[in-house]
Amino acid sequence: MAESAVSTVVQRLGDLLIQEAVFLDGVNEEAYGMQVELQRMQSFLRDADRRQDEEESVKNWVSEIRETAYDVEDIIEEFALKVALRRRSGMVNVMKRYATLAKETIELHNVGNEIQIIKNRISSLTNSLQTYGIIQRNDDWIPGLGRQQQQLRRSYSHIVEEDIVGLEEDVKVLAEQLVNSNGIVSICGMGGIGKTTLAKKVYHNSKVRHHFDAFAWAYVSQQCQVREVWEGILFKLTNPSKEQREEIANLRDEELVKRLYQVQLEKKCLVILDDIWTIPTWNNLCPAFPYWKTAGSKILLTTRKMDVALHPDPTCFLHVPPQLNDDESWELFKKKACVDNNYPDVRKDIAENRLNMAKSPDFSRLKFNLVQLILLDKCIYVRTRAEIERLGREMVGRCTGLPLAIIVLGGLLATKKTIFEWDVVRQNIISHLRRGKGDEQLLGVTEVLALSYHELPYQLKPCFLHLAHFPEDCEIQTKKMIRMWVAEGFVSSVYNGVEEETMEDVAQRYLGELVERCMVQVVERGITGRIRTCRMHDLMRDLCVSKAKQENFLEVFNQSLASDHSADSFPRSTVREARSIGRLRRLAVVLEGDLHKFIPSGYKRNSHLRSLLYFHEKACHAENWGSIKSVFKNFKLLRVLDLEGIQSHGGKLAKEIGNLIHLRFLSLRDTDIDELPSTIGNLRYLQTLDLLTWNSTVQIPNVVWRLNRLRHLYLPESCGEDSYKWQLANLVNLQTLVNFPAEKCEITDLVRLNHLKKLVIDDPKFGAIFRSPHVRFYRLQSLSFVSNEDSTVVQVIQGCPNLYKLHIEGQIEKLPECQQFSANLAKLNLLGSKLTEDPMPTLEKLPNLRILRLQMDSFLGNKMVCLDKGFPQLKSLFLYDLPNLEEWEVVEGAMANLFHLEISNCTSLKTVPEGLRFITSLREMEIRSMLKAFRTRLEHGGEDYYKVQHVPSIALRYCDY
């Protein structure tokens, strides 16, 4: 991790030398010299990082060099901050200006001296390398630079599957118990045994899906919030509207329990309570579950503790998943390590053998024919396979049949390309075990996870440790997380031989690498295959938090844990521990209630803080926005500030926000801020600004044009009523622009924003800019716009030839021809289009369309037809509010890959198509707000049931009129 810290500082120094030249004039030679010294140090740190668990002295050396690198960064950034703030304050006379220049000269001299002192420290640390036997290593890792590797990774990004081995019989037994028996079903086993994986397979089992009416999955975890668990389950069982959700949120606890209880009596519900840790947790949750009164609804719980599994019902069906046997372990490992597809080093061995033969002085006398060469190559191949299997089986055998350990080990070895590398991992495993106290013949989960961290390339280590910010069982929004990685300086743009990749693309590949190493789990992927949300296994998160604390990478302040101690005792003790290692640079505040102070007690002196994040699951209220001044005054070196969801009676953001000149990420999403100060224009390094607040209008001063490093800008629906025109054309780095402010800007400003990847705009004049044949948005992938005349739609979609997502709101009358759409188009949403001709003959020819939504009078005709071989890639189809639709025909062979179908408020539609019975891929159907007769036909025994009886999950909601 020290190498990562030094690498980040080296890059940051380079940026500062370029971007802060106006401030650093006079010390840039010293700063450049420091950059060179740190670069020289980097190659040694690779070896030191790998050995710091072996020797305490090496660990201390690594810690000291990491803090030294941070000191360099602090000195330069603090000086730049002082000069910037002083020069912004204005000069009222010549005397003051000379006084200021004199003060800057003195400070420059001081900075130069401090840098020289740190250079001497580094020289001393370098001289001590021989004492510790630390060697120079140059095995650089740059992920995905090879074109072949990039293509391989892209192909992986579309695969969403979870490899399981040896669970088929377990799934069958548990499904049978849930369907045919009474009482609770419990799965109990140690961490990493596969309890959650097994529960998921049962949850999606077709027999289970046909039997129950409604389903809910709840992650309980160690820090169980009972109210949130109850609400989440009720939401999933009833699928309430927005108004009903608000009503449920306002219920008292006893009213909420009663309603959830009643739903389970009225319908056959399956509720999964995953990862219950204690008996008190169950006792708090159980009043909402009538598990002993109904044979219809069932509960399946998972836990690590036998007493918890048996406590709800000592006579319950208890399932203890067995550890995998040797053959099952090997099969699972082969899937994760890609052993069958890519035996490492085989071609290399054969090539080396041929080269050695050619160099032999006897080669000319050797009489090899083609058949002999083929046989020789085959022998080498078989020998290599046998060696790989020997090494692999030895390592897998030490995993003792624990799926998580095997999966992580497989993910680690999938990145190793030679037999030598496999053998190094084997030796490292033995080394880890010898340093531990366990049996050398057994490899526990902890040792495998620790090894997977140590084997990470240095570029990935800070990205992995950053995941420790997020609460247990949190579903992480990766787009936001990646922008934080970029803001922190964990990634930089890379030239891949064709064009320069953006930092966001590089970060996405870093995340993909963590997924491939099985250190991060994918929850959901987007239509392009990009990871939309992810999470960590609780044991992997334990390792992540432990390493983050050990490396002094971040600290988490948990409000609920702090409240269990006497005033300030918890935070102060933790802060002292962190300061004994070094300065605190990142703080995550986990809130369980209202926010009384933006800075928890004991943290105000951490002036070198670079990141401050707040997490909360329910509405969080602060006393007033004025108190946030303490953050702006104490933490002037912040790069990341996430205030999402905090509310405090509205108001203006404090002007002191302008002090944070190094800020790169600022989120005010879902806050109730209604006005920004003009000092927001001082944040000239800002990359992400999210102003999607609860208020539809936020008064924003005319300073956004000054933020010329902005990459992602989310604006409210209205930016205020002043008459000043903004100049957005200056924001040439913008990739995301949501809610283009038509009332503030000229539509032609968009033409210069040629890096845009996402645009949301409701300005009817948008189509006009495409009347010029030279206007093209080649990088634009996602577009949402309002159509007001037929001709502009064709011009717009032809002017954006690489779209993946398209949302059109407003009348179209006639669709463009299929060849006029982007060939990449994967998601299409038509809203209020008022089409009179059936859109399906055109849309079904789009080769990559995966999601289609027809909403709110998008089609005014009475019949739609889907033809054979149409919609070859369609996964999800939504038909909402099409009141004229009477007949829908699906020909056999259409929509062959459809997975999810929703029909809502199409009240003239009398029946589902006959062709649905041929779509064997269809797994989920949701029918809402349809006539009662429509519902009756689809129910078991109804006239249309035979058309959908193969669909595992059918939800019929609000179909009673």
Side-chain angles (χ1 to χ4, degrees):
M1 181 56 201
E3 185 182 7
S4 303
V6 171
S7 174
T8 301
V9 172
V10 168
Q11 180 183 325
R12 178 69 181 130
L13 278 174
D15 293 342
L16 286 167
L17 286 168
I18 297 170
Q19 298 165 354
E20 303 286 9
V22 65
F23 297 144
L24 300 180
D25 185 29
V27 294
N28 42 17
E29 268 193 43
E30 288 86 347
Y32 177 74
M34 178 63 63
Q35 186 185 25
V36 172
E37 287 288 334
L38 289 172
Q39 283 174 327
R40 190 176 296 131
M41 176 71 71
Q42 269 185 277
S43 58
F44 293 95
L45 285 171
R46 217 154 296 177
D47 185 52
D49 264 340
R50 296 175 184 181
R51 291 181 48 201
Q52 61 175 316
D53 281 349
E54 300 176 18
E55 302 175 41
E56 191 67 25
S57 56
V58 175
K59 181 178 179 180
N60 292 335
W61 185 91
V62 168
S63 176
E64 190 170 348
I65 196 66
R66 180 181 64 236
E67 295 305 320
T68 301
Y70 287 153
D71 285 343
V72 176
E73 187 179 39
D74 291 344
I75 289 169
I76 301 294
E77 289 193 358
E78 285 175 344
F79 176 71
L81 174 67
K82 288 177 184 177
V83 175
L85 293 178
R86 188 178 300 116
R87 292 185 179 181
R88 272 210 315 269
S89 63
M91 304 298 171
V92 295
N93 55 48
V94 175
M95 293 297 293
K96 271 196 173 183
R97 178 163 181 78
Y98 280 121
T100 298
L101 290 174
K103 192 170 184 179
E104 285 180 15
T105 302
I106 295 171
E107 286 179 348
L108 274 172
H109 177 73
N110 292 337
V111 168
N113 287 340
E114 288 184 72
I115 290 178
Q116 188 59 49
I117 291 170
I118 293 178
K119 283 177 68 176
N120 294 337
R121 278 169 58 191
I122 292 179
S123 296
S124 175
L125 287 166
T126 304
N127 293 335
S128 65
L129 292 171
Q130 292 181 346
T131 305
Y132 302 124
I134 296 171
I135 61 174
Q136 188 172 8
R137 301 180 67 105
N138 293 306
D139 48 330
D140 292 334
W141 175 90
I142 303 178
L145 284 184
R147 189 173 298 176
Q148 184 176 1
Q149 274 189 306
Q150 282 191 329
Q151 291 172 349
L152 189 63
R153 282 207 173 93
R154 282 195 208 103
S155 67
Y156 286 166
S157 69
H158 296 285
I159 298 173
V160 185
E161 61 180 25
E162 191 170 6
D163 293 318
I164 63 166
V165 171
L167 294 184
E168 295 81 2
E169 192 59 34
D170 302 63
V171 172
K172 185 178 178 181
V173 169
L174 288 167
E176 188 70 24
Q177 285 294 325
L178 288 172
V179 171
N180 297 321
S181 302
N182 295 328
I184 287 179
V185 174
S186 295
I187 302 175
C188 182
M190 65 185 296
I193 196 68
K195 300 182 296 296
T196 299
T197 299
L198 177 56
K200 284 182 179 178
K201 290 295 176 182
V202 174
Y203 186 69
H204 292 288
N205 177 267
S206 58
K207 187 174 183 179
V208 170
R209 285 278 156 175
H210 276 300
H211 179 76
F212 292 98
D213 302 322
F215 302 83
W217 182 291
Y219 288 107
V220 180
S221 74
Q222 284 177 280
Q223 275 75 51
C224 174
Q225 301 299 312
V226 175
R227 171 85 190 197
E228 281 72 20
V229 172
W230 285 338
E231 282 187 7
I233 292 172
L234 185 57
F235 288 162
K236 290 169 185 172
L237 294 181
T238 61
N239 193 26
S241 63
K242 182 179 179 180
E243 294 75 16
Q244 290 168 327
R245 282 175 175 262
E246 292 174 356
E247 179 204 347
I248 291 171
N250 292 324
L251 292 175
R252 299 193 309 271
D253 284 355
E254 55 270 26
E255 294 172 329
L256 176 62
V257 166
K258 185 176 180 181
R259 184 171 299 189
L260 178 54
Y261 191 97
Q262 190 62 32
V263 167
Q264 294 169 88
L265 290 178
E266 294 171 353
K267 296 195 289 187
K268 289 192 295 185
C269 304
L270 174 61
V271 177
I272 309 288
L273 299 175
D274 186 32
D275 200 18
I276 295 184
W277 279 73
T278 65
I279 290 174
T281 296
W282 166 257
N283 290 339
N284 290 334
L285 289 170
C286 72
F289 304 110
Y291 58 94
W292 66 91
K293 285 189 177 181
T294 174
S297 293
K298 299 288 176 62
I299 292 177
L300 186 152
L301 64 85
T302 75
T303 180
R304 299 184 189 185
K305 300 181 179 181
M306 188 64 71
D307 59 339
V308 176
L310 295 174
H311 177 73
D313 180 5
T315 65
C316 74
F317 181 81
L318 176 65
H319 183 78
V320 180
Q323 293 172 222
L324 301 179
N325 60 36
D326 290 347
D327 289 338
E328 291 169 340
S329 298
W330 179 244
E331 285 302 313
L332 179 59
F333 172 78
K334 285 198 299 181
K335 289 182 178 181
K336 287 299 178 182
C338 304
V339 171
D340 284 334
N341 299 326
N342 183 25
Y343 276 91
D345 211 28
V346 176
R347 292 179 181 175
K348 185 178 177 182
D349 270 5
I350 293 174
E352 287 178 354
N353 182 70
R354 293 276 184 88
L355 185 61
N356 291 334
M357 287 173 56
K359 291 178 180 177
S360 170
D362 299 325
F363 183 70
S364 60
R365 296 196 299 272
L366 295 176
K367 302 293 184 181
F368 279 103
N369 59 34
L370 181 60
V371 173
Q372 287 173 314
L373 283 174
I374 292 173
L375 289 172
L376 180 61
D377 290 347
K378 186 174 182 180
C379 288
I380 296 172
Y381 180 76
V382 171
R383 187 188 70 208
T384 306
R385 284 188 57 154
E387 180 64 11
I388 290 168
E389 184 160 344
R390 184 189 69 79
L391 290 171
R393 282 190 178 272
E394 179 181 345
M395 288 183 279
V396 170
R398 296 177 184 270
C399 293
T400 65
L402 291 176
L404 178 63
I406 296 167
I407 286 170
V408 173
L409 180 64
L412 169 60
L413 288 168
T415 67
K416 307 301 180 184
K417 304 304 177 187
T418 67
I419 291 178
F420 173 76
E421 290 176 308
W422 278 47
D423 194 47
V424 168
V425 173
R426 182 188 67 83
Q427 293 175 36
N428 286 340
I429 287 173
I430 295 173
S431 174
H432 268 272
L433 290 171
R434 284 175 178 165
R435 290 199 298 272
K437 297 180 180 179
D439 184 349
E440 190 176 315
Q441 297 303 311
L442 301 177
L443 181 60
V445 175
T446 304
E447 287 77 13
V448 176
L449 302 191
L451 183 63
S452 69
Y453 172 74
H454 288 295
E455 286 287 326
L456 279 177
Y458 76 90
Q459 293 95 331
L460 295 186
K461 285 186 176 178
C463 299
F464 175 74
L465 296 183
H466 186 270
L467 293 162
H469 280 96
F470 299 93
E472 184 182 13
D473 284 322
C474 174
E475 190 169 318
I476 303 167
Q477 302 294 321
T478 60
K479 185 179 291 185
K480 180 177 178 179
M481 178 184 71
I482 279 173
R483 290 171 186 173
M484 290 181 182
W485 289 0
V486 172
E488 288 263 22
F490 297 159
V491 295
S492 57
S493 56
V494 174
Y495 184 74
N496 63 12
V498 180
E499 62 179 351
E500 188 175 56
E501 283 187 292
T502 66
M503 291 185 284
E504 290 81 0
D505 289 337
V506 175
Q508 184 71 224
R509 287 198 285 104
Y510 283 11
L511 177 60
E513 183 78 12
L514 291 173
V515 169
E516 288 179 23
R517 289 170 177 264
C518 304
M519 301 179 78
V520 173
Q521 298 173 339
V522 176
V523 177
E524 183 183 1
R525 290 186 185 267
I527 55 170
T528 62
R530 286 205 164 200
I531 301 166
R532 179 175 291 168
T533 59
C534 66
R535 66 184 296 271
M536 300 181 79
H537 189 282
D538 52 358
L539 292 182
M540 185 63 79
R541 183 180 177 276
D542 290 344
L543 170 77
C544 183
V545 171
S546 171
K547 289 295 181 183
K549 184 177 180 181
Q550 177 185 323
E551 301 280 1
N552 194 30
F553 185 83
L554 66 84
E555 188 167 323
V556 177
F557 174 83
N558 194 307
Q559 187 183 63
S560 64
L561 295 178
S563 64
D564 293 338
H565 296 69
S566 57
D568 293 346
S569 63
F570 174 79
R572 290 188 187 278
S573 64
T574 311
V575 172
R576 279 199 299 272
E577 184 177 352
R579 287 178 184 159
S580 67
I581 303 172
R583 296 168 176 169
L584 180 64
R585 301 184 85 77
R586 297 172 187 86
L587 177 63
V589 180
V590 181
L591 302 168
E592 304 296 346
D594 289 341
L595 180 63
H596 301 296
K597 289 186 282 189
F598 278 94
I599 305 177
S601 300
Y603 288 88
K604 288 184 179 179
R605 295 182 181 179
N606 290 282
S607 60
H608 297 89
L609 205 66
R610 295 306 201 275
S611 173
L612 179 59
L613 313 180
Y614 294 88
F615 294 95
H616 47 91
E617 290 190 3
K618 56 184 179 180
C620 176
H621 298 276
E623 291 182 3
N624 60 79
W625 280 112
S627 60
I628 202 173
K629 291 179 183 178
S630 59
V631 171
F632 303 153
K633 290 180 178 179
N634 286 276
F635 306 140
K636 294 180 181 178
L637 300 180
L638 275 178
R639 294 179 190 170
V640 176
L641 179 59
D642 183 14
L643 300 169
E644 182 173 339
I646 297 175
Q647 299 190 4
S648 183
H649 313 295
K652 183 177 182 179
L653 192 65
K655 66 179 181 181
E656 285 79 5
I657 184 72
N659 294 339
L660 309 184
I661 68 163
H662 296 293
L663 198 65
R664 286 155 169 76
F665 180 99
L666 174 61
S667 177
L668 300 175
R669 180 175 292 220
D670 292 336
T671 66
D672 58 356
I673 288 286
D674 55 27
E675 185 176 356
L676 297 184
S678 60
T679 54
I680 201 81
N682 298 339
L683 309 182
R684 55 200 180 93
Y685 286 119
L686 205 59
Q687 298 170 347
T688 298
L689 177 58
D690 192 338
L691 300 175
L692 290 178
T693 68
W694 276 100
N695 302 304
S696 58
T697 300
V698 177
Q699 297 291 332
I700 302 175
N702 185 19
V703 294
V704 175
W705 60 271
R706 295 172 58 184
L707 309 177
N708 58 7
R709 290 183 175 87
L710 270 179
R711 304 166 74 84
H712 310 283
L713 177 58
Y714 295 84
L715 292 170
E717 293 178 16
S718 172
C719 300
E721 299 177 354
D722 62 71
S723 58
Y724 296 107
K725 282 289 184 182
W726 293 5
Q727 299 294 322
L728 283 193
N730 192 45
L731 307 183
V732 294
N733 295 301
L734 266 188
Q735 298 177 29
T736 304
L737 176 55
V738 172
N739 292 334
F740 174 82
E743 75 279 9
K744 297 286 186 183
C745 303
E746 296 295 338
I747 195 70
T748 52
D749 284 356
L750 287 172
V751 176
R752 292 189 57 188
L753 307 182
N754 53 20
H755 285 89
L756 274 180
K757 290 187 175 183
K758 178 175 181 176
L759 174 63
V760 176
I761 180 171
D762 64 359
D763 187 348
K765 300 189 296 293
F766 175 58
I769 65 175
F770 293 96
R771 289 173 184 158
S772 168
H774 304 295
V775 175
R776 289 290 185 273
F777 291 90
Y778 289 105
R779 289 186 172 91
L780 198 65
Q781 298 177 359
S782 176
L783 172 64
S784 175
F785 76 101
V786 174
S787 166
N788 68 338
E789 49 185 286
D790 186 28
S791 60
T792 63
V793 174
V794 173
Q795 293 170 342
V796 169
I797 64 174
Q798 289 185 323
C800 307
N802 296 307
L803 287 176
Y804 284 86
K805 302 177 185 178
L806 177 60
H807 174 102
I808 305 176
E809 184 172 345
Q811 187 168 354
I812 297 177
E813 293 183 356
K814 181 176 173 57
L815 274 179
E817 298 299 321
C818 64
Q819 66 270 17
Q820 294 174 320
F821 287 95
S822 163
N824 300 324
L825 193 64
K827 182 177 181 179
L828 176 62
N829 189 5
L830 300 178
L831 182 70
S833 307
K834 299 187 183 301
L835 296 167
T836 55
E837 293 183 17
D838 182 3
M840 296 308 195
T842 297
L843 300 180
E844 67 186 7
K845 296 174 186 174
L846 297 176
N848 291 300
L849 191 64
R850 290 176 172 82
I851 300 176
L852 174 61
R853 282 187 169 90
L854 300 179
Q855 298 177 264
M856 201 176 297
D857 295 326
S858 55
F859 174 52
L860 297 180
N862 56 26
K863 183 177 180 179
M864 292 193 311
V865 179
C866 299
L867 298 176
D868 180 26
K869 296 189 172 83
F871 294 110
Q873 299 295 328
L874 195 67
K875 301 290 186 183
S876 299
L877 175 61
F878 303 83
L879 304 176
Y880 293 162
D881 301 303
L882 307 178
N884 296 341
L885 181 63
E886 298 176 1
E887 184 180 355
W888 177 27
E889 180 182 346
V890 175
V891 176
E892 182 177 358
M895 300 187 290
N897 290 296
L898 189 67
F899 181 90
H900 181 90
L901 171 64
E902 286 191 28
I903 304 174
S904 177
N905 203 29
C906 299
T907 51
S908 297
L909 188 63
K910 298 176 177 60
T911 180
V912 295
E914 177 80 17
L916 288 187
R917 66 191 182 95
F918 302 114
I919 305 177
T920 56
S921 60
L922 188 59
R923 313 302 291 168
E924 299 173 354
M925 276 185 64
E926 185 166 342
I927 310 297
R928 290 182 296 172
S929 303
M930 299 291 285
L931 297 179
K932 187 174 183 180
F934 189 92
R935 168 181 179 156
T936 303
R937 294 174 67 97
L938 283 176
E939 289 177 334
H940 189 76
E943 295 175 62
D944 291 337
Y945 180 69
Y946 74 97
K947 301 176 185 177
V948 296
Q949 61 182 346
H950 62 289
V951 182
S953 177
I954 302 175
L956 303 170
R957 309 182 191 278
Y958 315 117
C959 299
D960 297 323
Y961 59 91

